[in-house]
Amino acid sequence: MSVQERRLIYANVGKPGYTPDIDCYLKHGGYEALKKAFAMKPEEVCKEVTASGLRGRGGAGFPTGMKWSFLDRKSGKPIYLVVNADESEPGTYKDRQIIYFDPHQIIEGTLITAYAIQAKQAFIYIRGEFQNGAKYLEKAIAEAKAKNLCGDKILGSDYSVEIVVHRGGGCYVCGEETGLIESLEGKRGYPRIKPPYFPAVLGLYNCPTIVNNAETMAQVKHVVSLGGAEFAKIGVPGDSGTHIWGVSGLVKKPGLYEIEAGKATFGQLLNDFCGGPLDGRKFKAIIPGGSSTKILKFGERFKGKLPNGTEFDWALEDIPLDSNSIAACGTGLGTGGTIVLDDSVEMIQALANLNAFYAHETCGQCTPCREGSLWLSRISKRVCSGKGREEDPALLLDIANQVAGRTICAHGEAVAWPVQSAVPKFKDEYLDSIRRAKAGEQSPYTLKLI
Amino acid sequence: MSSTDHKPRLAALDATADAIIAKYPQKRSACLPLLHLAQETLGWISNDTMEWVAAKIGVTPMQVYEVVTFYPMFKLQPIGKQHVRVCRTLSCALRGSYHTMEALEKEFGIKRGETTADGAVTLEFVECIAQCGPGPVVQTSDALFENVAGEQKVGELVKHIRETVAADNIGKRPASLGSPEWNF
């Protein structure tokens, strides 16, 4: 294999003998970055993060340093930091491993970030299902407090901050930053409309708030320890650092692979790292970055221009694993949670499975999303149960087009994108499924997805 | 909703609840943590619980009720001692979670969403629980099982469920980290 993993975040995850307690973390150079950050001025830490070119790891890929710069510092209101460890995007399971195996990394990054933005208090919003994960984080915080690395007058400085671990209740939409804030305020997780509710201005308790992904916190630690300029050298221009690819579905070796941004392709990820398709099978499609990102079909050609002007003409296997390249192919890097589908999958069932997810998870505030997601789910299920109509693929697309862009939060896009991308690419197969069911023919697909 | 009297047992949680509330700048933020505390102690969310939470955080019981009905983790009826949550979403489905669910339904003689007559087991299809690679994953009240596909793996899970339902503390809030419950 020509490309190797480059483990920054997962350097110690899965290492024999590595334990999640503070002694082990300190032995491996833990909290040195925190000391380095506290020797700097807060604004210098922000500058390092901006210089590093770090992009958020929660899915949207927004530059972290720029996000921090939007903070309203003139209002005089306290600033809050909220770490998003909700990890609810289907196909994504990268943060879980940091929380369970190396929780101090998140705590250190959170402390550095809190110091950099001068937050009054920090919260880690973790999904409710991670009962033990929340306990690991709480234990890590208590250990750090006992060593004066967290809490009052950290490392003898004038800066104090408390971190509170807050468990959610199993809602996908609470991974959306404003839904998360509502949830943290003790309410239903209804996302808020922007403007005016940009968290950096009107966030938690209507105070300026930064919401960052849990892995982003771990990346911040490495930005400080390497220095912004040095960190920017990892990866490619426009996307620095490493990405954790969480591959799931139908491959030989599904798993988590940390790869320098842009230094490998989907072909290498799926064939070299993951060992290729299962015996006797052929890859059919991938959903590259969590279930909401647009599906890519094997055999497609991707042509276009990168932001830097370079023209490209790629097969799916040639697409480099960095956010600009993947975005140029009409989809997104998202969370790096790649779901792999092979020729044993009936595509309409896969779509119906995702449609059912979004119908279950819509919060119900906006009519297009609440009604649209249910219609999409019912129509695609109808096709799977053999009662499909020939006009159904076009109807699915029509409904999806009326949801995207018409909702308060990005759940509308998450509902629409799987349909908008899959229907044009797999319409013939859908029609085949509909025709076969009508004619009473036996389906060649035995795998049940809905 | 049942009219079970949870008041005395909730009163015993007062001190823990007050310590949780003190961590937040605004009391109302403690809504979810208090609901978790109550559910993990009593097994489900009763009217008594919602009234208790409401009084603690200074809102109306209805405002707690609207929170409870929003989050799938909170249950308004008693559920089985072993709460068996099979992941339904795509990554796990691709690796056979629908087939696993059907096998479990047959094994326990109930449909998804139901509880066995003796109150031992609740079967539930849940959405993505974030351990997608080694799917299908099943989260019980005390553990997370990976790669639960095929007769042997399902058999191991069933054996675990049948063995553990006898224990009193199953699925309840552990006394401390490292106690046998929740040790994923």
Side-chain angles (χ1 to χ4, degrees):
Chain A
M1 191 190 307
S2 52
V3 189
Q4 296 292 320
E5 274 194 79
R6 173 154 185 185
R7 290 189 163 210
L8 281 183
I9 307 300
Y10 279 1
N12 297 315
V13 169
K15 201 158 130 185
Y18 191 84
T19 49
D21 57 87
I22 197 164
D23 293 330
C24 187
Y25 188 68
L26 289 171
K27 244 185 269 166
H28 288 77
Y31 290 106
E32 289 304 318
L34 182 74
K35 286 174 194 158
K36 194 173 164 190
F38 271 70
M40 294 153 71
K41 284 188 185 138
E43 51 276 21
E44 287 170 352
V45 181
C46 292
K47 259 188 209 155
E48 289 297 316
V49 173
T50 306
S52 74
L54 175 66
R55 298 169 72 147
R57 295 299 196 254
F62 196 81
T64 306
M66 197 192 288
K67 191 184 243 186
W68 295 0
S69 75
F70 293 154
L71 264 179
D72 177 10
R73 293 174 186 280
K74 293 189 196 116
S75 67
K77 293 191 238 176
I79 293 170
Y80 291 105
L81 170 64
V82 181
V83 178
N84 185 347
D86 198 50
E87 189 146 72
S88 41
E89 179 75 12
T92 311
Y93 57 115
K94 62 185 177 67
D95 300 339
R96 179 196 273 265
Q97 324 305 326
I98 318 174
I99 294 165
Y100 279 75
F101 296 103
D102 205 2
H104 277 286
Q105 215 180 166
I106 293 175
I107 303 301
E108 185 174 6
T110 303
L111 290 165
I112 293 169
T113 305
Y115 172 72
I117 64 171
Q118 290 289 295
K120 181 181 175 254
Q121 190 168 357
F123 295 92
I124 300 177
Y125 187 102
I126 183 171
R127 28 179 329 162
E129 290 88 343
F130 292 178
Q131 285 121 323
N132 252 6
K135 287 195 153 284
Y136 283 139
L137 288 172
E138 273 170 358
K139 180 166 173 264
I141 292 165
E143 288 172 339
K145 277 179 103 162
K147 294 201 186 291
N148 188 223
L149 298 163
C150 175
D152 282 337
K153 302 199 181 305
I154 296 169
L155 296 167
S157 70
D158 285 334
Y159 182 70
S160 306
V161 73
E162 294 289 338
I163 306 176
V164 172
V165 179
H166 185 93
R167 273 173 66 207
C171 269
Y172 172 69
V173 81
C174 293
E176 197 277 342
E177 58 179 2
T178 58
L180 187 153
I181 287 170
E182 283 282 308
S183 177
L184 188 49
E185 289 184 2
K187 304 170 193 163
R188 293 186 143 212
Y190 284 155
R192 297 171 174 175
I193 197 155
K194 306 174 192 177
Y197 291 106
F198 291 107
V201 182
L202 288 173
L204 185 63
Y205 312 126
N206 279 341
C207 296
T209 303
I210 291 295
V211 183
N212 275 148
N213 174 259
E215 187 205 331
T216 309
M217 292 296 92
Q219 295 275 5
V220 164
K221 177 212 143 149
H222 294 281
V223 168
V224 170
S225 93
L226 293 168
E230 210 41 47
F231 187 91
K233 289 181 192 160
I234 307 171
V236 289
D239 193 6
S240 49
T242 57
H243 287 293
I244 299 168
W245 290 91
V247 184
S248 62
L250 300 168
V251 283
K252 266 209 185 108
K253 288 190 291 178
L256 293 144
Y257 304 95
E258 188 172 350
I259 305 170
E260 206 175 328
K263 295 296 160 74
T265 60
F266 271 120
Q268 285 167 316
L269 175 67
L270 299 177
N271 292 312
D272 299 346
F273 288 100
C274 298
L278 296 169
D279 290 333
R281 308 267 188 91
K282 262 199 246 157
F283 287 141
K284 198 173 198 172
I286 60 168
I287 302 172
S291 66
S292 324
T293 52
K294 292 187 174 177
I295 196 165
L296 301 175
K297 186 181 176 181
F298 279 84
E300 267 187 282
R301 292 302 298 185
F302 301 93
K303 290 178 195 172
K305 236 183 202 179
L306 291 173
N308 65 10
T310 319
E311 288 195 22
F312 64 86
D313 178 8
W314 291 323
L316 197 163
E317 291 89 337
D318 307 328
I319 303 173
L321 301 176
D322 66 89
S323 35
N324 289 336
S325 302
I326 297 172
C329 295
T331 180
L333 186 147
T335 57
T338 303
I339 306 173
V340 187
L341 301 91
D342 70 15
D343 55 1
S344 71
V345 177
E346 186 176 21
M347 295 309 289
I348 189 66
Q349 286 198 47
L351 184 64
N353 183 293
L354 290 182
N355 286 346
F357 172 80
Y358 291 111
H360 181 263
E361 299 296 340
T362 178
C363 80
Q365 272 193 114
C366 312
T367 313
C369 175
R370 182 184 65 235
E371 304 298 320
S373 62
L374 276 169
W375 290 350
L376 291 172
S377 179
R378 282 186 196 158
I379 294 165
S380 50
K381 263 189 199 161
R382 170 168 87 195
V383 174
C384 296
S385 66
K387 294 189 188 106
R389 303 168 192 166
E390 253 171 51
E391 64 269 26
D392 279 349
L395 183 58
L396 286 170
L397 196 57
D398 183 43
I399 295 166
N401 289 341
Q402 295 184 60
V403 178
R406 290 183 165 85
T407 52
I408 289 173
C409 81
H411 195 277
E413 278 71 40
V415 167
W417 283 348
V419 177
Q420 285 177 325
S421 59
V423 170
K425 290 179 187 182
F426 296 99
K427 195 176 173 190
D428 292 344
E429 199 193 304
Y430 296 166
L431 289 171
D432 216 32
S433 296
I434 294 167
R435 184 199 56 76
R436 197 170 42 236
K438 255 193 187 155
E441 285 173 31
Q442 175 119 31
S443 167
Y445 300 102
T446 52
L447 180 63
K448 206 173 165 188
L449 300 175
I450 188 73
Chain B
M1 271 168 272
S2 152
S3 57
T4 316
D5 184 13
H6 278 157
K7 288 190 192 81
R9 294 174 71 192
L10 287 163
L13 297 175
D14 274 341
T16 317
D18 293 340
I20 291 171
I21 293 168
K23 293 197 285 186
Y24 293 92
Q26 293 187 9
K27 282 205 262 183
R28 190 170 179 180
S29 282
C31 190
L32 261 61
L34 293 195
L35 288 169
H36 278 303
L37 172 69
Q39 178 159 294
E40 282 151 15
T41 311
L42 305 167
W44 58 289
I45 305 289
S46 61
N47 279 354
D48 283 351
T49 297
M50 288 186 273
E51 280 164 16
W52 175 76
V53 172
K56 284 270 168 215
I57 62 175
V59 298
T60 63
M62 186 52 81
Q63 286 170 310
V64 179
Y65 179 65
E66 67 173 26
V67 168
V68 171
T69 52
F70 188 78
Y71 297 90
M73 280 185 80
F74 298 124
K75 304 294 174 195
L76 285 166
Q77 292 89 30
I79 56 161
K81 272 184 167 179
Q82 264 295 15
H83 186 193
V84 183
R85 284 155 283 189
V86 182
C87 176
R88 188 207 68 84
T89 319
L90 190 57
S91 298
C92 284
L94 285 169
R95 295 169 63 85
S97 65
Y98 271 82
H99 302 273
T100 299
M101 178 48 102
E102 283 168 7
L104 291 172
E105 286 176 334
K106 214 169 150 195
E107 177 67 35
F108 293 105
I110 48 171
K111 292 275 171 218
R112 57 201 76 170
E114 293 177 352
T115 304
T116 53
D118 60 356
V121 178
T122 297
L123 274 185
E124 191 181 6
F125 239 165
V126 294
E127 300 301 341
C128 188
I129 44 179
Q131 185 66 328
C132 313
V137 288
V138 178
Q139 186 167 358
T140 62
S141 297
D142 62 334
L144 185 77
F145 289 81
E146 299 174 349
N147 293 308
V148 192
E151 223 169 283
Q152 193 201 332
K153 284 289 196 169
V154 174
E156 284 168 22
L157 171 66
V158 168
K159 186 164 170 269
H160 174 84
I161 294 168
R162 293 215 184 277
E163 279 172 4
T164 47
V165 283
D168 277 343
N169 57 352
I170 192 81
K172 297 287 165 62
R173 178 170 279 256
S176 66
L177 188 80
S179 54
E181 306 93 280
W182 294 358
N183 264 348
F184 294 162

